[in-house]
Structures are given as C-alpha cells and as structure tokens.
Amino acid sequence: MKASSKTKFKLLDSDKKDLLEFSGRNQEDLKTTDETSPFLNYDYFTTTEIISTFGFGKDQIVALMILSLAFFSEFSIAQLMPILATDLIAEFDLNPSIEPQILSATFAGFALSYPLWGLVADLYGRKKAIIMSGLWSLVWSAASSVAPNVFWLIIFRLLFSLAGGVTNIVMTYYYEYLPPKYHWMGPISGNQVGGFVFASAFPVLAGLLLLHYADLSWRIFVAVTASPLVLFCLAAIVYLLESPRFLLVNGRSSEAYDVLEKMARRNKRELPGKFALKVEDEVGRSKEQAKGANILKMSLAALKNWKILRTFVCIMMIGTTTRFVTYGMSFIKNDFVFRTGKESSYCDEAHGRIELLKVSDYETLMLTIIGELVACAVLIPVLKVNFSLKISAIVSFGLSSLLTCILYSCPSLHIALALMTIIRILSQVVNLNMWMRLSGLLPTEVRCSLFGLCTFFMYFTLPAMPFLTQDLAKLSPHYTTSVCVLYILVGFIGALLLPIKMHAN
C-alpha cells in the first residue's frame, strides 16, 4: 500500500466522527455494509499498515533517541552500584558485604516492577506509563543522593528500582510504534546503545571525573548520574506520542487517527486518501475480550493458546539465562577489577581491597564497555534479517558454555575479562532477539502485562545473584563459574524446546 501524494485524508467533522466510530469492526463487517454506507469506497487498514505507508523518518528517529535514555535507570546499575559501594566502604569503613545487600534490594525491586508497570501500560497507555516510571526513577535517584546513612540508601535504591519496568514498556512500544521493517532499530538503539553502552559508560566517566580527579562526595556522584533521567522525562512529555495500536484496541479510534496524522506530518508524509482503521487480527484474543473483560481474564485467555504458552515458557527460560549473564558477568568482572591486582589471574584469591579506585581501574572498565559497542556489528545483521531465535539461542548458549568453561583453567585477568565480554555479546544477540519475539507473541490488550509477568520470572533469582557471584568468588572462583554454566544450561534447554517458527501478532 502506498501513501497518496495528492489526496490527504480530509473529512467534515460529522463524517470523520462517523468514520472513526465505525473503525475497529472486522473486515467481514465492513464488506456487508449496506449500499448507503459512507464507507463503501474506503480502504480499511490496521495501524501497522498505515505506519508502514509513511515509513521510518524524523518522528521515529527522535522517539528512538528519547527512549534510549529510558534504559538508563536499569542498566546504569551494573556500573554505578559497584563504584558507589567501593566509595561508601572506604568512606565509612563498612563491611564489603554491604555491596551485595544494596544490589539484592535493587534487583528485588526490579523484579516486582515489571508486572506492575506492565499492568499500568495496558490500562492507561504506553506513554503515560513510560513517563510515570521515568519520573519515579528521578525522584528516588535524587533521594538516594541525600540519604542520611547506608540504611536509607538501601531503602531509596529499592524504591528507585520499582520503576525498572519502563524498559519492558519501551520494548512493546517499539513493536507497536515502528514500521515492522524497522523493529530491529528499537532494541539496538535502546537496549544496546542506550543501555549497555551509554548507561554503563556514564557512571564510569562520572566516577573518574567526580570521585577520582575532583574528589567530590559520593552524593554528588549519585545526583549527576541521575541527570539523563531529567532530560528523558522532559523530552518524553513534550515529544512522545501514544501507541496508536493501543488506542484503537481500547476503542479510542479518534485519538488513534490523530496520532497517525501527527506521525505522518512529522515525517513530512501524507496519510492515504480515504481509509478507516481496523483492529489487528491477533491470536490469543478471545470474544470475551471484545466485551471489555479485565486484564486477568484476557491474560488467561491468551495463555490458553498452546502456541503462546509454549513459546512464553521457553522465552522465560532463555530470558533467565540472558538476565544472569547480562548482570552476572558485569559484577564478576567488576569484582575482579576492583579487588585484585593487574597481574592477577582469574583464580587468584581476592584481596578484599577497599581503597578508592585508580585511573587504571576506570580504564579497564571502559575497555569492557567498548566491547558492547562493537557488539552492534553482530547484533544489527542478526536482528535486521529476522534471524531465528531458536537457532541463535542454541549457537550463542553453546559457545557461551564452552567459553565459560575456559575460566576453570585460571586465565590471566585480561583474558578472563575478554572472555566474559564475548559471552555477554553472545548473550545480547539472544537477548534483543528475544525481546522482539516476545512483543510480537502477545495480543495488544495484554502485551505489556504478560511481557512484565514473563520478565518477573526472568528476574526472580537475580536478588541472590550478588551473593552467587561476589560472595562465592571469595570462597573460590570456580563456584561462580559453575553457577554461570548452570544458568547457561537452563537457557540452552529452553532454546531446544522453542518452536523453530514462532507465531507473531
């Protein structure tokens, strides 16, 4: 379908009202309309088809730039918390075990936040949920910078993490807002560049400039690292539009049309001539849903479908692995950078160092982050060609298990860091592919809620991760390595059980 270059969609107010009230009926209803209907000469399209007519342009580019900042609240944790904990331990002469406590509280909050914000997004809209969770993150980041003691800092970080669900909402927003041909650009710009590169590098640079060179308080460090959230909230409020697909399935056809019109105008394109909107035909949507059933009933109806349920469970297993590798490898390598010398091997006993970080420590961290940017060279073609999640997961987890086993041989610190970076890159290939598939698997009415529920199970074991990585490493690095191998095995089994061809709504 091509957009008209001459005829813009113009109707009298009364005609427009009738047309939009008629929108949402299925195609069979439209075909049986009587001869006096004003819609007989109209074409009927889904929001996805309309978005595809004016393609990828300025509107989507700016939206992607804004949304990339939304990932900062979650992904900065991997670098911010170890740097902050090291400074707190040195300043207050605390027991090093305080770091796992802060991290565990943070991940517990993240796990709870995903189904919560998913429900909010399905009830009130993607845009509102994204902005509300961003503002929540900003408030508790600011509170953390003025925490009177470590106890309150842990409480504030727990409250801060309750907004982590924004990343799930953004993933579903990409699926509904971008043309299908460009879905891959969402996870790459947001999860990979915004999350793993920018959100990981910013705390390291801030720590180097503020804690090392300027020798300022850790409170200033926490406040500065929250600054991207200020920019995100302001830009999101001013520029972001609601998902037209969400609006249409909730009977808000007039608003869906207005959003599509604004998207086309921003891209300097025109909507088709005469058209009416129709709801996507999605697997997992029951007749009860059309009558306004609640979110719980709609979710259960979707999961009763075997195609959805089987894939849903397999993705949970795969996601459990990618979540652990994503964060676990970060904490393992950070722990070795912080607590061992440059010439140490992976198996050398940690020295329990509590002095402030040196420039060489920050440099080593930055080198591992650069590897995440290089990963885009692998991720872009895999996502762009819509490569099979099953095959990519089997290959990635198979290679990851072999590389992880090399750590048993006690390589030098730098070789160990290189191995862990490669394992994370392999995990990211699966991770981003998985998020795209999960978005498309679920019907629109419950997409965010079920997405959040699935992620909750992925994060369920993460509160124990700091102890499984950092505390076990103090006893023997081989214990930590074995935990990594077991997690990778879970994902590998999930990949084997996953259908080769996944259904997509």
Side-chain angles (χ1 to χ4, degrees):
M1 184 184 77
K2 296 183 179 179
S4 170
S5 59
K6 296 181 180 180
T7 307
K8 190 171 182 178
F9 179 56
K10 292 182 179 179
L11 294 171
L12 296 175
D13 290 342
S14 58
D15 291 337
K16 179 178 176 182
K17 180 176 183 294
D18 291 338
L19 174 64
L20 294 171
E21 286 179 351
F22 197 72
S23 301
R25 297 189 188 182
N26 62 43
Q27 203 161 10
E28 292 303 315
D29 289 338
L30 296 172
K31 289 179 180 178
T32 58
T33 306
D34 65 72
E35 295 182 358
T36 62
S37 169
F39 311 108
L40 284 178
N41 296 323
Y42 284 72
D43 292 320
Y44 307 101
F45 301 112
T46 65
T47 59
T48 300
E49 291 169 335
I50 293 295
I51 289 173
S52 296
T53 64
F54 48 78
F56 187 82
K58 175 187 172 182
D59 177 61
Q60 288 91 346
I61 292 173
V62 176
L64 288 178
M65 293 173 62
I66 294 171
L67 291 170
S68 66
L69 295 174
F71 290 82
F72 189 86
S73 62
E74 175 180 338
F75 288 88
S76 64
I77 295 298
Q79 301 296 348
L80 184 148
M81 291 312 301
I83 295 173
L84 175 61
T86 302
D87 210 70
L88 291 172
I89 291 168
E91 180 175 338
F92 297 108
D93 194 25
L94 299 173
N95 190 312
S97 65
I98 192 68
E99 182 181 352
Q101 294 176 28
I102 298 175
L103 290 171
S104 293
T106 301
F107 281 114
F110 277 138
L112 294 172
S113 75
Y114 290 114
L116 171 65
W117 287 105
L119 181 62
V120 172
D122 280 336
L123 289 175
Y124 303 106
R126 286 40 168 154
K127 177 183 176 179
K128 288 182 179 178
I130 288 171
I131 293 173
M132 289 168 61
S133 57
L135 291 171
W136 181 277
S137 295
L138 182 59
V139 167
W140 295 110
S141 290
S144 298
S145 67
V146 295
N149 52 50
V150 175
F151 170 78
W152 280 107
L153 178 63
I154 294 175
I155 297 297
F156 291 151
R157 295 312 292 181
L158 172 61
L159 292 170
F160 159 84
S161 64
L162 288 175
V166 66
T167 56
N168 272 359
I169 303 166
V170 172
M171 284 295 179
T172 58
Y173 185 88
Y174 287 146
Y175 191 82
E176 296 173 1
Y177 197 80
L178 297 175
K181 185 179 178 181
Y182 297 94
H183 279 167
W184 62 274
M185 296 191 72
I188 289 292
S189 64
N191 193 296
Q192 187 64 24
V193 177
F196 284 101
V197 178
F198 175 69
S200 296
F202 191 78
V204 176
L205 291 174
L208 179 62
L209 297 175
L210 299 177
L211 299 178
H212 179 77
Y213 287 119
D215 195 23
L216 297 176
S217 168
W218 61 268
R219 299 178 186 279
I220 297 176
F221 167 70
V222 173
V224 169
T225 53
S227 59
L229 292 173
V230 178
L231 179 60
F232 163 70
C233 291
L234 292 175
I237 292 171
V238 172
Y239 191 87
L240 283 188
L241 302 174
E242 183 56 82
S243 160
R245 188 164 173 171
F246 164 81
L247 293 170
L248 188 62
V249 299
N250 283 279
R252 298 159 63 180
S253 304
S254 181
E255 294 176 64
Y257 166 77
D258 290 338
V259 168
L260 292 170
E261 188 176 44
K262 184 173 288 188
M263 291 174 68
R265 187 166 61 250
R266 287 177 174 178
N267 283 349
K268 296 183 179 180
R269 299 292 299 274
E270 294 183 344
L271 294 175
K274 295 180 177 181
F275 78 97
L277 295 173
K278 66 174 182 177
V279 176
E280 310 270 352
D281 183 17
E282 297 178 329
V283 171
R285 175 183 291 141
S286 66
K287 293 181 180 179
E288 191 176 15
Q289 289 174 255
K291 300 177 182 179
N294 62 42
I295 296 293
L296 178 59
K297 289 182 178 179
M298 288 189 284
S299 299
L300 292 175
L303 292 177
K304 285 180 180 178
N305 182 282
W306 175 242
K307 290 181 181 179
I308 293 178
L309 179 61
R310 175 187 173 185
T311 307
F312 190 80
V313 173
C314 290
I315 284 181
M316 278 196 297
M317 297 174 68
I318 292 171
T320 298
T321 296
T322 61
R323 293 296 84 195
F324 182 86
V325 172
T326 294
Y327 292 108
M329 288 298 179
S330 287
F331 294 134
I332 292 170
K333 67 184 182 182
N334 286 350
D335 196 54
F336 278 92
V337 170
F338 293 176
R339 301 184 184 281
T340 62
K342 264 191 168 184
E343 304 304 321
S344 301
S345 78
Y346 177 78
C347 298
D348 285 348
E349 183 180 354
H351 304 313
R353 193 180 76 194
I354 60 173
E355 68 265 19
L356 299 179
L357 301 183
K358 300 175 182 178
V359 174
S360 59
D361 296 325
Y362 288 107
E363 290 174 347
T364 303
L365 289 175
M366 284 303 300
L367 285 174
T368 61
I369 294 169
I370 291 173
E372 304 291 352
L373 190 57
V374 175
C376 292
V378 178
L379 293 167
I380 290 175
V382 169
L383 297 182
K384 192 173 181 180
V385 301
N386 204 24
F387 197 74
S388 167
L389 174 60
K390 180 184 182 75
I391 295 175
S392 64
I394 290 174
V395 172
S396 295
F397 291 149
L399 290 174
S400 295
S401 62
L402 295 176
L403 294 175
T404 303
C405 287
I406 295 176
L407 296 175
Y408 285 116
S409 67
C410 300
S412 67
L413 178 63
H414 289 298
I415 292 178
L417 291 176
L419 287 171
M420 286 186 275
T421 299
I422 294 172
I423 293 168
R424 277 194 59 175
I425 292 173
L426 290 171
S427 176
Q428 274 301 89
V429 172
V430 180
N431 190 42
L432 299 193
N433 201 349
M434 176 194 70
W435 291 137
M436 290 177 60
R437 306 292 178 158
L438 183 58
S439 296
L441 177 69
L442 307 169
T444 303
E445 290 91 336
V446 291
R447 177 167 286 126
C448 292
S449 297
L450 287 180
F451 202 112
L453 180 65
C454 187
T455 312
F456 168 78
F457 287 109
M458 294 178 191
Y459 272 77
F460 190 74
T461 62
L462 286 194
M465 185 192 62
F467 301 98
L468 294 175
T469 56
Q470 294 167 319
D471 284 4
L472 282 181
K474 294 179 178 65
L475 299 175
S476 172
H478 295 322
Y479 290 151
T480 300
T481 304
S482 298
V483 170
C484 293
V485 171
L486 289 174
Y487 266 91
I488 293 173
L489 180 61
V490 170
F492 188 79
I493 294 173
L496 291 175
L497 299 175
L498 189 71
I500 186 68
K501 291 184 178 180
M502 291 176 54
H503 169 74
N505 276 319

